[in-house]
Amino acid sequence: MLLHLLAFLAGTVAAAAATGPASRPNIVFLFSDDQTARAIGLENPDVITPHLDRLAREGVRFTNHYNTTSICMASRCNVLTGLYEHRHGCNFDHGDLARTFLERSYPVLLRRAGYHTGFAGKIGFDLQGEKFEALATFFDEWAGGPGQTFYETARNPGIAKYAAQYPHCSRAYAAWAADFLQSAKRSGKPFCLSISFKAPHLPFTPDPQDAKLYAGRQFKRPPNYGVENGRHLAAQARTSRAATGYREWINNYDESAAAYYALITGIDAAVGMIRESLEREGLAGNTVIVFTSDNGYSMGAHGFGDKVLPYEEASKSPLIIHDPRQPRARSGKTSAALTGNVDMAPTLLALAGVPAPAGLDGRNLLPLLENPDGRMRDALPLFNYWGATSAQTLAIVAPGWKYIFWSHGGEGMKPTEELFDLNSDPYEMKNVAADPRHAAVLADLRRQYDAELAAIAATRVAGHGYEKYPVLFSRTIPWSEKPAAPPPAAAKGKRKAGKTDDR
Ligand SMILES: [Ca+2]
């Protein structure tokens, strides 16, 4: 009798584990490194991404997704915490992440709420005053690597055992995911799997099987391609390393694009493998998949390489959310709502029914799955607190518009406003800040800008070098009354022309 009862209870538990309560789906968060919004097949037929295209056709694709700081280290912390950079304080030249922020990140909160969690790939930051290994203790299963990690599978200890079959890391992460899904299933809990691919970050080293798909091909340049299409932009933008380095996009576009696209095709194959594993394990019907990237990439637009800048190519990434529980009628919709990397944490927590910490900058995007035509916010700030001081900025994106204020007034430059009408000018070829027809829009965006600047002053984390920004970025304090530009040590992101460091 007792044995029967135990067998019945075990059966009940197993059934619950296999399907899970409807309110607690599994979550797979897939994150590429340096992928711009236009580098997926549905946006650009030059890029071969059948699995991402299918994911978008079966889910919702967000076409105005911005990284509020468009560089690896800070963006990864934006995603994990739902906070803007000056609130978590983690970026190159600003500092590592304090443990207290990671303790309130989405994977840690999900684990505390009973999720089985796993992380593989490039995490992209360190914890303040702690060894890299400490990060592993925040997850049930861990195959994260320090620094930039390596394209050669064998050089990444967490996935090295898959090197014989998958010598390039992108597919090896999918093999690790397959094993994770089996142990997650055995755990009897819902799970959250986060994979941070190295691709398509520099150095461009694709899997040979993907590289051959693009070998010798010539690609269409975007309409704003080349240095000649950047002369109308603020002089400050051209002091960024995006203009002084990354010349491979100007000197050798086809070869650069071939390698970059091949790296994305490798991730695409891994996405396909992960979906197959979910099907095989019977988990696909209750697993939400999110795909995005940590920053965009200029790819020669306006003559820039790199990310960091507030222009469209550098700051926008793909975002696809596939929730198999949504009615099929909503599949394949696109949402033009303004979304940001800070929205990832509150969205993933909302999926699991776990309350988000109070005061996050990000928002829950799930209402947009129900109503892709809905609006999410009136404005989203884009920050660049890194690199040459002259190229640091605050920008405001609003539906259809972007306002950028370049505050630097030294070295022969004047503080400059840029206003782009993104609906009629998606390639940002005309600065309409001086056009009186747009005076009302300009006034509104200036007001949003000033409000955001006040928020920086009120909410910045102490001790990470953000104290100067409320003055440095001020529209109303003349350059002559601002403290002198910081000494070169604070601007060590400046780099020699022609060299590309790989942050
Ligand atoms: Ca990146």
Side-chain angles (χ1 to χ4, degrees):
M1 181 65 191
L2 181 64
L3 280 177
H4 279 136
L5 179 65
L6 288 174
F8 170 76
L9 288 174
T12 309
V13 170
T19 54
S23 58
R24 304 252 286 179
N26 306 306
I27 295 167
V28 173
F29 182 71
L30 303 174
F31 202 33
S32 65
D33 189 350
D34 287 10
Q35 185 177 1
T36 187
R38 289 175 186 143
I40 62 166
L42 289 177
E43 288 278 342
N44 175 356
D46 282 340
V47 196
I48 304 166
T49 57
H51 298 290
L52 289 175
D53 300 352
R54 184 185 144 213
L55 191 70
R57 281 198 305 270
E58 296 174 0
V60 175
R61 185 163 66 97
F62 296 84
T63 55
N64 282 307
H65 183 67
Y66 289 83
N67 290 291
T68 56
T69 297
S70 197
I71 192 166
C72 304
M73 184 171 172
S75 178
R76 280 147 200 274
C77 295
N78 297 151
V79 164
L80 281 166
T81 64
L83 297 172
Y84 295 143
E85 179 191 328
H86 54 267
R87 295 191 61 201
H88 60 63
C90 184
N91 197 354
F92 305 109
D93 300 341
H94 284 277
D96 295 331
L97 191 71
R99 170 175 278 263
T100 50
F101 289 107
L102 192 57
E103 283 168 351
R104 283 177 280 156
S105 68
Y106 78 81
V108 176
L109 294 175
L110 289 175
R111 189 187 192 190
R112 204 175 294 156
Y115 270 66
H116 182 78
T117 63
F119 181 93
K122 168 181 161 179
I123 196 151
F125 64 90
D126 287 295
L127 281 178
Q128 233 170 52
E130 301 191 44
K131 289 192 172 138
F132 179 77
E133 289 69 28
L135 287 164
T137 65
F138 288 85
F139 297 86
D140 293 309
E141 297 191 46
W142 170 258
Q148 295 291 353
T149 67
F150 300 97
Y151 277 125
E152 302 92 322
T153 302
R155 295 178 71 189
N156 303 290
I159 51 169
K161 69 173 177 173
Y162 306 102
Q165 196 175 357
Y166 303 110
H168 189 279
C169 69
S170 293
R171 285 174 177 81
Y173 285 123
W176 186 89
D179 286 346
F180 171 88
L181 293 179
Q182 290 193 346
S183 58
K185 202 168 143 182
R186 281 194 301 272
S187 77
K189 300 175 176 178
F191 62 82
C192 175
L193 167 64
S194 302
I195 301 220
S196 289
F197 294 98
K198 174 173 177 59
H201 195 286
L202 284 171
F204 293 159
T205 318
D207 192 324
Q209 63 184 306
D210 302 317
K212 72 180 182 203
L213 302 174
Y214 297 93
R217 282 182 52 187
Q218 290 198 313
F219 302 101
K220 200 174 159 200
R221 274 75 166 156
N224 59 356
Y225 175 78
V227 175
E228 63 279 15
N229 286 316
R231 296 207 172 95
H232 63 293
L233 297 176
Q236 290 87 336
R238 285 177 269 125
T239 66
S240 162
R241 75 170 186 177
T244 56
Y246 295 79
R247 293 303 84 191
E248 64 272 24
W249 287 103
I250 301 305
N251 301 331
N252 205 352
Y253 183 82
D254 289 321
E255 215 168 277
S256 300
Y260 182 73
Y261 293 162
L263 283 163
I264 292 167
T265 296
I267 297 171
D268 184 78
V271 171
M273 288 168 68
I274 291 167
R275 292 197 73 185
E276 256 182 52
S277 300
L278 287 166
E279 293 283 353
R280 196 168 50 240
E281 301 297 335
L283 297 164
N286 195 38
T287 300
V288 178
I289 302 173
V290 179
F291 179 88
T292 189
S293 190
D294 66 340
N295 49 255
Y297 219 55
S298 298
M299 297 181 66
H302 307 296
F304 300 128
D306 198 22
K307 43 238 182 183
V308 178
L309 292 167
Y311 300 116
E312 293 288 274
E313 294 77 9
S315 58
K316 278 174 86 168
S317 286
L319 171 64
I320 302 167
I321 301 180
H322 174 250
D323 185 342
R325 304 164 307 163
Q326 289 283 341
R328 288 193 80 80
R330 295 202 188 110
S331 295
K333 300 267 188 199
T334 56
S335 171
L338 201 48
T339 63
N341 58 357
V342 288
D343 299 333
M344 296 301 99
T347 302
L348 301 181
L349 290 168
L351 274 170
V354 175
L360 294 192
D361 297 308
R363 297 187 187 177
N364 167 18
L365 301 181
L366 297 185
L368 292 175
L369 297 188
E370 312 272 335
N371 176 23
D373 296 327
R375 207 170 160 104
M376 182 45 58
R377 48 169 64 83
D378 295 331
L380 184 71
L382 309 179
F383 309 94
N384 176 28
Y385 297 123
W386 182 80
T389 310
S390 48
Q392 296 189 14
T393 50
L394 169 60
I396 303 291
V397 194
W401 294 93
K402 187 186 289 170
Y403 172 81
I404 309 170
F405 182 62
W406 300 91
S407 64
H408 192 80
E411 299 155 66
M413 290 174 259
K414 283 185 191 154
T416 300
E417 291 179 303
E418 289 182 320
L419 179 67
F420 298 103
D421 176 350
L422 297 175
N423 288 330
S424 70
D425 180 26
Y427 290 94
E428 297 171 314
M429 289 302 295
K430 194 169 182 205
N431 176 9
V432 296
D435 185 333
R437 286 173 300 174
H438 304 305
V441 173
L442 180 65
D444 182 52
L445 289 172
R446 282 174 172 166
R447 186 183 54 74
Q448 306 257 26
Y449 179 98
D450 294 345
E452 208 55 59
L453 204 58
I456 296 172
T459 63
R460 65 173 172 75
V461 64
H464 285 247
Y466 299 96
E467 295 79 2
K468 65 185 178 191
Y469 289 103
V471 171
L472 184 65
F473 286 171
S474 167
R475 288 189 314 107
T476 50
I477 303 172
W479 177 256
S480 59
E481 290 174 26
K482 292 181 182 179
K492 63 187 170 192
K494 272 194 176 176
R495 40 211 303 293
K496 291 194 181 103
K499 294 263 186 186
T500 296
D501 76 29
D502 65 354
R503 287 196 264 198

